[in-house]
Amino acid sequence: MSAQQDTEAIARRIFEEIWQNENYEVIDELVAEDYVLHDPSMPEETEWPSGREGFRQIVEMGSGVIDGRLEIEQLIPADDHVAIRWKQTGTHVGEMAGIEPTNEEVTITGIEIDRFEDGKLAETWQEVGMLPMLVQIGAVPEDLFSAETPSGEH
């Protein structure tokens, strides 16, 4: 098996075993001890611990907010990196950033680039589509971006 096939297989295991099946016991096997997350969609004051413990907290927080299945829509391996486009559809059941559960059906999407080292996930750069989800649960008005363009008149 090539290194590229290895990283693809590990990435799929992380999504299936950890994110979908909530099997947190494989985190030690699949995630590097010094794992780092880069996520500009998180508030700057959010201080996730680095390493495996930080990864575990992110997964637990994510699974507690939306109760639906996380699906890989596209996975592109490239040597020691994997690009993944994913989607999660489910019910908003957990508190998020001070927003109480709405029990609304939501879909959230994301794109991430994962770097692997010595057979483990070492680093993630991700962009999560938070704004559409916030619109879906009513935290942001649907007409925030109206079809009308500003006229420039005051």
Side-chain angles (χ1 to χ4, degrees), residues 11 25 28 44 47 58 66 82 100 102 119 133 141 148 154:
E25 293 185 19
D28 287 350
E44 285 186 32
E47 297 219 11
I58 292 163
I66 299 174
V82 174
E100 293 298 319
T102 62
M133 190 192 96
E148 296 179 28
H154 297 285

Side-chain angles (χ1 to χ4, degrees), residues 7 10 30-32 34 80 115-123:
T7 57
I10 297 164
L30 301 176
V31 178
D34 58 350
D80 62 348
R115 182 180 66 81
F116 294 85
E117 188 175 298
D118 298 325
K120 295 185 180 199
L121 176 61
E123 201 163 8

Side-chain angles (χ1 to χ4, degrees), residues 31-48:
V31 178
E33 196 172 321
D34 58 350
Y35 170 80
V36 177
L37 171 68
H38 308 277
D39 185 351
S41 65
M42 296 287 209
E44 285 186 32
E45 65 274 1
T46 303
E47 297 219 11
W48 297 103

Side-chain angles (χ1 to χ4, degrees), residues 19 63-64 71 86 90 95-96 110 113 117-118 121 125 136 154:
W19 286 99
S63 67
E71 300 174 45
W86 55 264
E95 186 270 333
M96 180 189 69
I113 298 171
E117 188 175 298
D118 298 325
L121 176 61
W125 294 264
Q136 293 169 54
H154 297 285

Side-chain angles (χ1 to χ4, degrees), residues 15 70-71 73-74 84-88 108-112 126-129:
F15 267 79
L70 190 70
E71 300 174 45
E73 293 193 308
Q74 188 173 23
I84 303 170
R85 187 170 51 85
W86 55 264
K87 172 176 80 172
Q88 184 177 21
I108 188 166
T109 60
I111 296 176
E112 66 184 64
Q126 77 177 11
E127 297 283 335
V128 179

